[in-house]
Amino acid sequence: MVDHWADVISSEFSKVEDFIAEALSSENAELDEMCKYVIRSGGKRVRPAVCILSYLACGGKDVQVPIRAGAGFEILHTASLIHDDIDDNGEIRRGRKTLHKQYTLTKALVAGDYMLVRGYRCLGKLPDEPMEIIIKAAGMMVESEFVQKDFEHNLDVTVDDYLGIITGKTAMLIVASAVTGAYLATENQDFIEAIYEYSNKIGLAFQMIDDVLDVIGTSNTGKKIGIDISEGKPTLPTIYAMQDPTYGSEIREIYSRVPTDEDVDRALELIRMTDAIDLCYSKADEVAQEAIDVLDALPDSDYKQSLIGLAKYIVRRNR
């Protein structure tokens, strides 16, 4: 089930792709081309997946309802990545040039704004409860970027600081996606609360593993390795590694300033020599298991099992 967690909604996934393409269609040829460029570059589609699976696991019957919402969340997520890449001056995303490098910065900004509008349009007819969560998630995503900036190259950053940042940066949009699916399916508050806790936990685990992959690197990540260190971002591997009794002081020295390419390579080497990666996997496993445990509140079904499989996949993925 870990490797095949999405099989049970494979037909719904294809409909999400169709809906995204339709929602982003533009009469401006270049804007249309830019939207297709970022959407077709791939992505794990975690947000539409949790929206659809949560809906079905909570007893929903009309699958067209979460498909539209799931597509909207994926569009919002993609728009946020465009803006993140511009903010970070990123060059590679999912193995391809970032949108502002492939086209221009000003056009990428406009395309990102266009996608935000289209994403929210997909979510425009939702009930009040999920809309409040979506608004909260949008605000937290912005606020967490400011908090993260405050902790760049900051040696006082703690694990709790990090968890606060990634709650807003990553987890809350996954929460909004999943809880929207639950609200569309049921009024059972125990089910909705379980989905909330589950999605928050897998969102945290997802970002932890993203941070690990930035250090260990694989041919499947599609991103430049060490970019977080280069930008001085507070990540879990770096926080753990800076506490290492043997190599921590040198890692702290590199993290405290704007590093050269040679510094980044050295920091990556040092972090890999500590137990930071093992600690990160252990923490991610712990959080993912907590996510799985809260699903006990839901009735058993293939969709619940897929949610469990998704949690396990998140901490064992290599991209």
Side-chain angles (χ1 to χ4, degrees):
M1 181 58 77
V2 175
D3 294 331
H4 304 284
W5 63 269
D7 288 356
V8 72
I9 55 167
S10 58
S11 63
E12 286 79 10
F13 260 175
S14 65
K15 292 175 183 176
V16 167
E17 297 301 322
D18 292 342
F19 199 96
I20 290 173
E22 179 184 341
L24 292 178
S25 178
S26 170
E27 293 181 3
N28 182 283
E30 187 172 20
L31 178 58
D32 192 64
E33 176 185 302
M34 292 175 73
C35 290
K36 289 177 180 176
Y37 179 85
V38 290
I39 288 297
R40 290 176 178 173
S41 65
K44 290 164 279 293
R45 304 297 194 249
V46 169
R47 290 145 197 88
V50 295
C51 185
I52 295 168
L53 285 172
S54 296
Y55 175 84
L56 294 171
C58 289
K61 303 300 182 185
D62 182 5
V63 77
Q64 293 300 319
V65 175
I67 285 173
R68 178 187 178 94
F73 284 115
E74 187 65 20
I75 292 170
L76 292 180
H77 169 61
T78 305
S80 74
L81 296 182
I82 293 172
H83 290 148
D84 282 350
D85 288 337
I86 292 171
D87 185 46
D88 299 337
N89 197 28
E91 298 182 359
I92 301 294
R93 168 76 64 178
R94 296 170 179 166
R96 309 170 74 186
K97 286 184 179 180
T98 51
L99 194 66
H100 70 284
K101 293 295 184 181
Q102 179 68 13
Y103 294 88
T104 66
L105 187 148
T106 52
K107 287 181 177 179
L109 276 172
V110 172
D113 291 343
Y114 173 80
M115 293 181 74
L116 283 174
V117 171
R118 291 291 179 160
Y120 282 117
R121 183 182 183 186
C122 294
L123 303 170
K125 296 182 180 180
L126 292 175
D128 290 343
E129 293 88 347
M131 280 305 300
E132 286 298 318
I133 294 173
I134 293 167
I135 292 168
K136 178 182 177 181
M140 289 182 67
M141 287 173 68
V142 174
E143 291 168 1
S144 66
E145 289 293 335
F146 275 83
V147 176
Q148 180 174 262
K149 290 289 183 185
D150 290 339
F151 282 106
E152 288 179 1
H153 307 289
N154 187 333
L155 296 177
D156 294 327
V157 64
T158 67
V159 172
D160 285 343
D161 294 327
Y162 167 80
L163 292 175
I165 291 168
I166 68 172
T167 295
K169 175 183 174 182
T170 303
M172 276 308 298
L173 190 58
I174 294 176
V175 169
S177 305
V179 171
T180 293
Y183 265 113
L184 291 172
T186 184
E187 296 180 355
N188 186 314
Q189 290 300 311
D190 290 338
F191 289 3
I192 293 170
E193 182 63 27
I195 290 296
Y196 187 106
E197 292 299 323
Y198 164 85
S199 53
N200 184 54
K201 298 291 186 183
I202 67 165
L204 297 176
F206 189 95
Q207 187 60 54
M208 291 175 192
I209 299 303
D210 253 16
D211 293 347
V212 168
L213 295 177
D214 184 66
V215 173
I216 63 175
T218 75
S219 59
N220 299 319
T221 57
K223 295 190 294 185
K224 181 180 178 181
I225 304 304
I227 190 69
D228 291 336
I229 295 171
S230 178
E231 296 168 358
K233 290 183 177 179
T235 68
L236 195 58
T238 301
I239 292 169
Y240 281 146
M242 288 194 296
Q243 299 169 6
D244 186 81
T246 303
Y247 306 108
S249 59
E250 187 175 353
I251 296 168
R252 287 169 63 84
E253 196 278 325
I254 294 172
Y255 180 74
S256 68
R257 55 184 167 80
V258 177
T260 64
D261 289 344
E262 291 75 16
D263 290 332
V264 172
D265 290 341
R266 177 59 176 165
L268 289 171
E269 177 186 9
L270 291 169
I271 293 172
R272 293 168 188 152
M273 292 167 65
T274 72
D275 62 355
I277 301 304
D278 288 340
L279 290 172
C280 288
Y281 274 119
S282 178
K283 182 66 173 177
D285 282 336
E286 174 188 330
V287 172
Q289 186 58 53
E290 290 172 355
I292 291 169
D293 290 344
V294 301
L295 293 179
D296 287 345
L298 301 183
D300 198 24
S301 67
D302 289 343
Y303 309 113
K304 174 180 171 178
Q305 292 304 313
S306 289
L307 288 171
I308 292 171
L310 172 58
K312 293 178 179 179
Y313 159 78
I314 280 173
V315 294
R316 287 293 170 257
R317 63 193 174 91
N318 61 1
R319 62 185 181 91

